[in-house]
């Protein structure tokens, strides 16, 4: 069970969000998430900083 919480933490989701199959994501958001998964941790960190500065 402890590993499950590490997985949730890694993906920045709550356990509820992890199991919620009713979440409706747009096609572009799903594509963006797919691209994010392929980035290195350093690349994701850099992109997160850029996104936060855009808000």
């Amino acid at each position: 069970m402890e590993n499950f919480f590490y997985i949730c933490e890694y993906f920045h989701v709550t356990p509820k969000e992890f199991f919620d199959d009713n979440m409706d994501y747009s096609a572009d958001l799903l594509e963006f998430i797919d691209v994010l998964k392929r980035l290195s941790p350093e690349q994701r960190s850099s992109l997160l900083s850029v996104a936060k500065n855009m808000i």
Side-chain angles (χ1 to χ4, degrees):
M1 189 64 163
E2 187 175 322
N3 289 335
F4 169 69
F5 291 117
Y6 287 127
I7 292 169
C8 289
E9 183 178 330
Y10 177 82
F11 288 110
H12 303 287
V13 296
T14 66
K16 180 181 185 270
E17 291 169 330
F18 185 87
F19 289 108
D20 189 359
D21 61 353
N22 291 322
M23 297 180 84
D24 291 329
Y25 292 126
S26 62
D28 60 336
L29 183 55
L30 290 173
E31 181 180 3
F32 189 70
I33 292 169
D34 186 50
V35 170
L36 288 174
K37 290 177 184 178
R38 292 186 246 148
L39 298 176
S40 71
E42 294 82 15
Q43 290 170 317
R44 285 193 304 266
S45 179
S46 294
L47 192 53
L48 180 59
S49 293
V50 170
K52 285 181 176 180
N53 285 323
M54 294 174 73
I55 296 176

XYZ file of all heavy atoms in Angstrom:
463
model
N 0.828 -1.197 0.000
C 0.000 0.000 0.000
C 0.866 1.252 0.000
O 0.506 2.247 -0.630
C -0.916 -0.041 1.232
C -1.941 1.025 1.230
S -3.064 0.794 -0.149
C -4.399 1.781 0.341
N 1.986 1.184 0.681
C 2.876 2.344 0.740
C 3.364 2.721 -0.657
O 3.465 3.908 -0.981
C 4.061 2.027 1.651
C 4.966 3.204 1.917
C 6.052 2.865 2.932
O 5.769 2.134 3.886
O 7.173 3.347 2.718
N 3.629 1.709 -1.487
C 4.078 1.981 -2.858
C 3.014 2.717 -3.660
O 3.335 3.554 -4.494
C 4.467 0.685 -3.560
C 5.750 0.107 -3.026
O 6.590 0.830 -2.490
N 5.905 -1.187 -3.152
N 1.764 2.386 -3.401
C 0.674 3.065 -4.095
C 0.701 4.568 -3.819
O 0.541 5.377 -4.721
C -0.668 2.473 -3.671
C -1.846 3.278 -4.133
C -2.185 3.344 -5.474
C -2.606 3.996 -3.228
C -3.259 4.101 -5.905
C -3.680 4.753 -3.643
C -4.011 4.800 -4.987
N 0.947 4.944 -2.563
C 0.997 6.363 -2.219
C 2.193 7.051 -2.868
O 2.116 8.220 -3.244
C 1.003 6.548 -0.700
C -0.299 6.162 -0.067
C -0.365 5.117 0.839
C -1.468 6.837 -0.373
C -1.565 4.755 1.423
C -2.681 6.494 0.201
C -2.731 5.443 1.103
N 3.297 6.329 -3.028
C 4.446 6.892 -3.738
C 4.103 7.147 -5.207
O 4.499 8.157 -5.780
C 5.660 5.969 -3.645
C 6.317 5.932 -2.296
C 6.545 4.722 -1.655
C 6.701 7.103 -1.640
C 7.145 4.670 -0.403
C 7.293 7.067 -0.397
C 7.519 5.849 0.219
O 8.102 5.814 1.447
N 3.353 6.232 -5.788
C 2.928 6.403 -7.187
C 2.032 7.636 -7.307
O 2.199 8.452 -8.212
C 2.210 5.143 -7.696
C 3.203 3.990 -7.812
C 1.513 5.406 -9.033
C 2.567 2.636 -8.048
N 1.076 7.767 -6.401
C 0.189 8.937 -6.417
C 0.991 10.219 -6.265
O 0.742 11.204 -6.965
C -0.858 8.837 -5.308
S -2.107 7.580 -5.588
N 1.947 10.206 -5.356
C 2.782 11.388 -5.146
C 3.575 11.720 -6.401
O 3.678 12.883 -6.795
C 3.724 11.151 -3.965
C 4.573 12.344 -3.614
C 5.457 12.088 -2.403
O 5.068 11.296 -1.521
O 6.542 12.688 -2.352
N 4.122 10.697 -7.049
C 4.920 10.915 -8.259
C 4.083 11.586 -9.347
O 4.552 12.494 -10.029
C 5.479 9.582 -8.761
C 6.249 9.703 -10.047
C 7.573 10.111 -10.037
C 5.661 9.424 -11.277
C 8.296 10.239 -11.207
C 6.383 9.544 -12.457
C 7.691 9.950 -12.417
O 8.400 10.083 -13.579
N 2.855 11.139 -9.510
C 1.987 11.692 -10.548
C 1.172 12.889 -10.071
O 0.352 13.425 -10.813
C 1.051 10.608 -11.099
C 1.751 9.608 -11.960
C 1.933 8.309 -11.528
C 2.239 9.962 -13.201
C 2.579 7.385 -12.315
C 2.889 9.050 -14.001
C 3.069 7.748 -13.561
N 1.394 13.299 -8.830
C 0.706 14.453 -8.253
C -0.814 14.310 -8.334
O -1.519 15.227 -8.775
C 1.164 15.756 -8.921
C 2.629 15.988 -8.840
N 3.258 16.353 -7.681
C 3.607 15.868 -9.768
C 4.549 16.463 -7.904
N 4.791 16.168 -9.155
N -1.294 13.131 -7.937
C -2.730 12.878 -7.877
C -3.069 12.322 -6.510
O -2.233 11.708 -5.849
C -3.206 11.886 -8.959
C -2.997 12.439 -10.352
C -2.549 10.532 -8.809
N -4.285 12.544 -6.102
C -4.757 11.949 -4.860
C -5.191 10.512 -5.151
O -5.464 10.165 -6.312
C -5.954 12.730 -4.291
O -7.057 12.588 -5.195
C -5.624 14.197 -4.072
N -5.280 9.669 -4.122
C -5.789 8.311 -4.368
C -7.176 8.320 -5.013
O -7.466 7.506 -5.888
C -5.819 7.698 -2.964
C -4.703 8.382 -2.252
C -4.768 9.806 -2.762
N -8.007 9.270 -4.618
C -9.347 9.370 -5.224
C -9.234 9.671 -6.718
O -9.925 9.069 -7.536
C -10.167 10.451 -4.524
C -11.561 10.622 -5.100
C -12.317 11.723 -4.378
C -13.731 11.807 -4.856
N -13.960 12.676 -5.960
N -8.376 10.623 -7.067
C -8.201 10.972 -8.485
C -7.630 9.788 -9.269
O -7.985 9.586 -10.425
C -7.267 12.170 -8.617
C -7.850 13.463 -8.121
C -6.824 14.573 -8.027
O -5.629 14.293 -7.782
O -7.223 15.736 -8.193
N -6.754 9.023 -8.640
C -6.138 7.877 -9.302
C -7.195 6.874 -9.761
O -7.098 6.318 -10.852
C -5.147 7.204 -8.344
C -4.366 6.094 -8.958
C -3.181 6.352 -9.622
C -4.797 4.779 -8.865
C -2.441 5.328 -10.197
C -4.068 3.750 -9.430
C -2.887 4.023 -10.098
N -8.207 6.646 -8.937
C -9.231 5.651 -9.259
C -10.474 6.236 -9.918
O -11.370 5.492 -10.291
C -9.642 4.896 -7.992
C -8.583 3.972 -7.493
C -7.881 4.273 -6.344
C -8.273 2.805 -8.179
C -6.898 3.416 -5.876
C -7.290 1.947 -7.725
C -6.601 2.255 -6.572
N -10.543 7.537 -10.076
C -11.727 8.182 -10.646
C -11.707 8.058 -12.156
O -10.973 8.750 -12.853
C -11.773 9.656 -10.235
C -13.082 10.326 -10.620
O -13.957 9.657 -11.216
O -13.224 11.516 -10.331
N -12.541 7.163 -12.690
C -12.605 6.982 -14.134
C -13.641 7.893 -14.783
O -13.883 7.817 -15.978
C -12.873 5.533 -14.500
C -14.188 5.006 -13.957
O -14.838 5.722 -13.173
O -14.563 3.885 -14.318
N -14.233 8.784 -14.012
C -15.218 9.718 -14.542
C -14.629 11.084 -14.858
O -15.360 12.002 -15.184
C -16.380 9.891 -13.554
C -17.204 8.641 -13.441
O -17.431 7.954 -14.426
N -17.638 8.316 -12.243
N -13.320 11.216 -14.754
C -12.692 12.497 -15.044
C -12.707 12.711 -16.558
O -12.237 11.866 -17.312
C -11.270 12.540 -14.500
C -11.228 12.427 -12.979
S -9.577 12.465 -12.332
C -9.326 14.214 -12.257
N -13.270 13.806 -16.979
C -13.358 14.112 -18.404
C -12.252 15.074 -18.789
O -12.276 16.252 -18.403
C -14.721 14.729 -18.733
C -15.844 13.735 -18.601
O -15.608 12.540 -18.841
O -16.961 14.152 -18.257
N -11.283 14.566 -19.513
C -10.187 15.398 -20.009
C -10.356 15.597 -21.503
O -10.722 14.678 -22.226
C -8.834 14.736 -19.752
C -8.446 14.652 -18.298
C -8.098 13.440 -17.725
C -8.416 15.779 -17.497
C -7.728 13.354 -16.391
C -8.041 15.708 -16.158
C -7.703 14.490 -15.623
O -7.333 14.422 -14.305
N -10.062 16.797 -21.959
C -10.130 17.072 -23.382
C -8.999 16.318 -24.088
O -8.006 15.920 -23.478
C -10.013 18.573 -23.635
O -8.754 19.040 -23.171
N -9.147 16.138 -25.387
C -8.155 15.401 -26.173
C -6.793 16.071 -26.113
O -5.759 15.386 -26.010
C -8.629 15.275 -27.612
N -6.770 17.403 -26.140
C -5.475 18.086 -26.110
C -4.782 17.934 -24.759
O -3.565 17.796 -24.685
C -5.602 19.562 -26.505
C -6.511 20.366 -25.600
O -7.399 19.776 -24.945
O -6.337 21.589 -25.546
N -5.556 17.906 -23.681
C -4.959 17.705 -22.359
C -4.403 16.287 -22.230
O -3.306 16.086 -21.699
C -5.976 17.989 -21.261
C -5.466 17.894 -19.829
C -4.247 18.792 -19.615
C -6.551 18.258 -18.851
N -5.126 15.297 -22.723
C -4.633 13.918 -22.695
C -3.357 13.772 -23.519
O -2.421 13.076 -23.116
C -5.711 12.958 -23.208
C -6.919 12.780 -22.298
C -7.989 11.950 -22.994
C -6.512 12.149 -20.980
N -3.303 14.446 -24.659
C -2.096 14.419 -25.487
C -0.926 15.074 -24.750
O 0.200 14.579 -24.771
C -2.347 15.128 -26.818
C -1.152 15.107 -27.735
C -1.410 15.821 -29.053
O -2.495 16.389 -29.253
O -0.491 15.807 -29.885
N -1.204 16.187 -24.089
C -0.167 16.892 -23.332
C 0.380 16.007 -22.208
O 1.590 15.935 -21.988
C -0.734 18.197 -22.773
C 0.287 19.097 -22.161
C 1.222 19.744 -22.943
C 0.321 19.295 -20.792
C 2.180 20.577 -22.383
C 1.268 20.122 -20.215
C 2.204 20.758 -21.020
N -0.504 15.323 -21.510
C -0.084 14.414 -20.441
C 0.777 13.299 -21.008
O 1.805 12.922 -20.422
C -1.312 13.854 -19.697
C -1.999 14.970 -18.911
C -0.921 12.701 -18.769
C -3.368 14.603 -18.353
N 0.407 12.772 -22.157
C 1.199 11.720 -22.797
C 2.603 12.211 -23.137
O 3.587 11.504 -22.927
C 0.490 11.226 -24.060
C 1.185 10.051 -24.691
O 1.481 9.072 -23.966
O 1.458 10.108 -25.901
N 2.700 13.425 -23.628
C 4.012 14.011 -23.940
C 4.812 14.211 -22.657
O 6.008 13.906 -22.605
C 3.840 15.350 -24.700
C 5.155 16.096 -24.809
C 3.253 15.097 -26.080
N 4.175 14.699 -21.608
C 4.862 14.919 -20.337
C 5.476 13.635 -19.792
O 6.570 13.655 -19.222
C 3.899 15.500 -19.299
C 3.474 16.942 -19.486
C 2.400 17.304 -18.463
C 4.657 17.871 -19.363
N 4.778 12.533 -19.965
C 5.271 11.252 -19.458
C 6.585 10.849 -20.118
O 7.363 10.102 -19.539
C 4.225 10.160 -19.681
C 3.015 10.307 -18.805
C 2.003 9.226 -19.134
C 0.732 9.384 -18.339
N -0.272 8.369 -18.701
N 6.824 11.338 -21.321
C 8.033 10.952 -22.060
C 9.224 11.868 -21.787
O 10.321 11.602 -22.253
C 7.740 10.918 -23.554
C 6.782 9.788 -23.911
C 6.610 9.663 -25.390
N 5.229 10.006 -25.696
C 4.816 10.572 -26.795
N 5.665 10.888 -27.731
N 3.552 10.834 -26.991
N 9.006 12.938 -21.031
C 10.090 13.860 -20.716
C 10.899 13.361 -19.527
O 10.398 12.615 -18.687
C 9.521 15.242 -20.393
C 8.751 15.957 -21.505
C 8.185 17.266 -20.982
C 9.628 16.182 -22.706
N 12.116 13.811 -19.458
C 12.958 13.491 -18.298
C 12.453 14.310 -17.102
O 11.758 15.320 -17.288
C 14.419 13.844 -18.581
O 14.593 15.252 -18.607
N 12.812 13.900 -15.890
C 12.406 14.699 -14.725
C 12.885 16.146 -14.813
O 12.158 17.059 -14.425
C 13.074 13.975 -13.552
C 13.202 12.562 -14.017
C 13.486 12.658 -15.494
N 14.061 16.363 -15.345
C 14.574 17.725 -15.475
C 13.748 18.526 -16.478
O 13.454 19.703 -16.259
C 16.041 17.707 -15.914
C 16.983 17.111 -14.886
C 17.015 15.586 -14.913
O 16.538 14.957 -15.897
O 17.504 15.005 -13.933
N 13.369 17.891 -17.583
C 12.551 18.574 -18.582
C 11.179 18.912 -18.022
O 10.657 20.005 -18.250
C 12.408 17.708 -19.836
C 13.680 17.575 -20.631
C 13.552 16.533 -21.721
O 13.005 15.452 -21.508
N 14.073 16.858 -22.902
N 10.581 17.966 -17.287
C 9.269 18.235 -16.672
C 9.366 19.386 -15.684
O 8.481 20.241 -15.632
C 8.728 16.976 -15.987
C 8.210 15.941 -16.957
C 7.409 14.863 -16.251
N 8.141 14.198 -15.188
C 8.838 13.071 -15.333
N 8.890 12.486 -16.506
N 9.457 12.533 -14.298
N 10.428 19.417 -14.902
C 10.625 20.489 -13.939
C 10.728 21.834 -14.630
O 10.133 22.828 -14.200
C 11.867 20.216 -13.096
O 12.085 21.244 -12.179
N 11.480 21.882 -15.721
C 11.633 23.127 -16.466
C 10.302 23.576 -17.058
O 9.933 24.753 -16.992
C 12.648 22.946 -17.597
O 13.923 22.708 -17.077
N 9.569 22.631 -17.618
C 8.272 22.962 -18.222
C 7.287 23.400 -17.152
O 6.499 24.335 -17.386
C 7.731 21.749 -18.979
C 6.550 21.990 -19.894
C 6.824 23.120 -20.887
C 6.205 20.730 -20.640
N 7.328 22.793 -15.990
C 6.457 23.200 -14.899
C 6.750 24.632 -14.481
O 5.829 25.416 -14.234
C 6.616 22.253 -13.704
C 5.764 22.552 -12.485
C 4.285 22.535 -12.815
C 6.080 21.569 -11.375
N 8.023 24.995 -14.420
C 8.390 26.367 -14.062
C 7.841 27.357 -15.082
O 7.311 28.405 -14.716
C 9.904 26.504 -13.984
O 10.425 25.760 -12.925
N 7.952 27.022 -16.350
C 7.424 27.897 -17.401
C 5.913 28.033 -17.265
O 5.368 29.138 -17.323
C 7.808 27.358 -18.800
C 7.058 28.114 -19.890
C 9.303 27.443 -19.023
N 5.237 26.907 -17.060
C 3.761 26.929 -16.943
C 3.333 27.764 -15.739
O 2.375 28.545 -15.833
C 3.232 25.508 -16.837
N 4.019 27.628 -14.614
C 3.663 28.397 -13.432
C 3.854 29.894 -13.670
O 3.072 30.701 -13.172
C 4.494 27.952 -12.234
C 4.056 26.628 -11.663
C 4.908 26.247 -10.460
C 4.432 24.979 -9.817
N 5.261 24.620 -8.641
N 4.873 30.261 -14.430
C 5.113 31.670 -14.743
C 4.056 32.237 -15.691
O 3.836 33.438 -15.733
C 6.511 31.882 -15.337
C 7.577 31.782 -14.286
O 7.397 32.203 -13.154
N 8.734 31.239 -14.663
N 3.403 31.371 -16.438
C 2.377 31.811 -17.375
C 1.054 32.122 -16.666
O 0.223 32.854 -17.192
C 2.132 30.747 -18.452
C 3.335 30.550 -19.368
S 3.089 29.194 -20.519
C 1.896 29.930 -21.630
N 0.862 31.580 -15.489
C -0.409 31.744 -14.775
C -0.477 33.126 -14.133
O 0.391 33.629 -13.563
C -0.578 30.644 -13.703
C -0.667 29.290 -14.398
C -1.807 30.890 -12.859
C -0.739 28.122 -13.447
